[in-house]
Amino acid sequence: MPRLLVVEDDETIGSVLESSLRAHGHQVGWERTGRDALRVAAETDFDLVLLDLGLPDLDGVEVCRQLRANNPTAVLVILTARTQEMDVVVGLEAGADDYLTKPVRLAELLARVRAHLRRVSPAPAGAQPMLEVGDLLVDTGSRRASVAGTEIPLRAKEFDLLARLATTPEAAISRETLMEQVWDENWFGPTKTLDVHVAALRRKLAGVADRGVVPRITTLRGHGYRLEVP
Ligand code: CA
């Protein structure tokens, strides 16, 4: 059973999130402060954390950064008010995989949680292809990417995005397609998440550029992205 952690100081929102997620078959913990969240996350490996950025004790972005550092495989979803767009960018850069704006619509939240958990569960062995673009190897079975034996440390969504790009190298892929296929099949709304993940992937690919022929992610203005060998 997937283990979820809700970090939310608002009693009403917190109890709605906790009970709805429980009703959908998840094991759910609920903490009301950043310090308590970090403490329980140090003891338990959560599969997914819903993190309110406006917490009473610590800066939510700092909590996000520490959760990411200590729980590299957990999916981190930040909750923030619609008016605080900067929080989203800063939160994504601090390690969040996704975000939802408040007021949270329960149906959307449950759909998003389901999509994230489906992708973090291990894929069945045997049917998973090994993708090769230049010297970049993307092993979709073990979910590892490497260049000439040097592994590229990737977060869950970064891996999914790279794997999708590497599935059709040299092809233009629209932003909408990437959002639908990597994040949610019924995606609607802002796509800032995509830009932040592309930026992170570019940084990580640049970090292994001296190891071999490493593809780059080219921006196609007004359309999307393309993974190509330089
Ligand atoms: Ca709050």
Side-chain angles (χ1 to χ4, degrees):
M1 192 190 283
R3 278 165 306 192
L4 275 58
L5 175 64
V6 172
V7 186
E8 172 61 78
D9 60 310
D10 184 296
E11 288 293 324
T12 309
I13 299 174
S15 69
V16 167
L17 293 181
E18 183 189 39
S19 58
S20 321
L21 291 166
R22 280 221 175 110
H24 283 78
H26 303 295
Q27 193 179 317
V28 187
W30 172 18
E31 297 302 333
R32 291 155 178 84
T33 67
R35 276 195 191 85
D36 286 338
L38 292 172
R39 183 179 46 74
V40 300
E43 293 159 3
T44 307
D45 276 330
F46 290 99
D47 297 295
L48 187 145
V49 181
L50 286 172
L51 173 66
D52 172 35
L53 287 184
L55 294 170
D57 57 339
L58 302 176
D59 174 14
V61 171
E62 184 50 33
V63 175
C64 182
R65 191 170 289 121
Q66 289 193 36
L67 284 172
R68 172 51 69 212
N70 299 325
N71 305 267
T73 61
V75 175
L76 301 182
V77 179
I78 51 179
L79 306 176
T80 183
R82 198 171 288 279
T83 48
Q84 283 152 355
E85 281 233 313
M86 262 321 286
D87 278 1
V88 171
V89 175
V90 174
L92 290 167
E93 281 169 355
D97 297 289
D98 196 2
Y99 68 94
L100 285 162
T101 47
K102 287 181 171 181
V104 173
R105 297 187 312 121
L106 214 45
E108 184 185 2
L109 177 132
L110 291 167
R112 214 73 81 73
V113 165
R114 203 161 45 238
H116 279 297
L117 291 175
R118 191 171 55 236
R119 290 190 175 88
V120 293
S121 50
Q128 302 303 315
M130 177 78 89
L131 307 168
E132 200 173 342
V133 184
D135 289 333
L136 171 72
L137 279 184
V138 181
D139 183 343
T140 59
S142 67
R143 296 180 57 83
R144 287 200 169 102
S146 61
V147 169
T150 301
E151 188 170 341
I152 308 169
L154 295 176
R155 300 190 339 232
K157 284 293 152 191
E158 292 168 358
F159 181 87
D160 291 339
L161 177 60
L162 182 61
R164 175 58 192 90
L165 290 167
T167 302
T168 53
E170 311 295 334
I173 312 172
S174 73
R175 300 177 63 86
E176 291 71 26
T177 299
L178 290 170
M179 288 311 299
E180 281 169 19
Q181 296 185 352
V182 177
W183 274 269
D184 193 318
E185 57 252 44
N186 297 307
W187 187 269
F188 54 95
T191 55
K192 219 187 313 284
T193 304
L194 176 59
D195 301 309
V196 174
H197 281 72
V198 166
L201 268 185
R202 280 185 174 141
R203 269 197 305 276
K204 291 180 179 183
L205 290 172
V208 291
D210 59 340
R211 307 305 302 239
V213 179
V214 178
R216 64 173 174 224
I217 303 170
T218 303
T219 302
L220 307 171
R221 233 167 243 295
H223 181 70
Y225 294 101
R226 177 171 62 213
L227 185 68
E228 59 191 2
V229 174

